Amino acid sequence: EPNDEIPNDWSCNCVAPAWGTQVGAPVAACTLDECTVPRAECATCEGGACAAALPTPQTCVDGDTREIKKGDWQCVCPSPSTATAALAPADCSYDECDADTEC
């Protein structure tokens, strides 16, 4: 509720799904983790983990959660694979002979 006796008590609020607020300033610093937002282009990699339908479960990582930095999420393969892919599931294949196993 605004108070006419206190200047600059208003706030800017981010619009969902982003979050954040700033009191007495014209712009809020909004945060948006793209890995938690359902969207068509990443239907196989959302909610923090890529879909179980993939041969190897992957982790979704949003490298920069500032709202102004959209489109920077990646799917990351579990170890021992080091593969990643931007905006899509990664190819998690790996050579078992390169995984320090005895042949």
Side-chain angles (χ1 to χ4, degrees), residues 10 24 29 35 39 41 62 70 83 85 96 102:
W10 53 273
C35 292
R39 58 202 172 279
E41 73 270 15
D62 187 352
K70 292 180 182 174
E96 292 181 48
E102 293 184 23

Side-chain angles (χ1 to χ4, degrees), residues 20-46:
T21 188
Q22 184 69 42
V23 176
V27 178
C30 299
T31 300
L32 175 67
D33 185 345
E34 294 180 275
C35 292
T36 63
V37 179
R39 58 202 172 279
E41 73 270 15
C42 69
T44 56
C45 187
E46 65 183 56

Side-chain angles (χ1 to χ4, degrees), residues 1-97:
E1 190 75 22
N3 184 337
D4 292 337
E5 294 178 15
I6 302 173
N8 295 322
D9 67 337
W10 53 273
S11 65
C12 282
N13 299 310
C14 300
V15 177
W19 67 90
T21 188
Q22 184 69 42
V23 176
V27 178
C30 299
T31 300
L32 175 67
D33 185 345
E34 294 180 275
C35 292
T36 63
V37 179
R39 58 202 172 279
E41 73 270 15
C42 69
T44 56
C45 187
E46 65 183 56
C50 293
L54 294 173
T56 305
Q58 302 173 22
T59 302
C60 181
V61 177
D62 187 352
D64 189 338
T65 57
R66 292 178 296 164
E67 187 181 30
I68 60 171
K69 294 293 288 183
K70 292 180 182 174
D72 65 335
W73 60 271
Q74 294 184 338
C75 279
V76 180
C77 297
S79 180
S81 178
T82 57
T84 63
L87 311 178
D91 179 6
C92 294
S93 61
Y94 62 92
D95 185 346
E96 292 181 48
C97 291

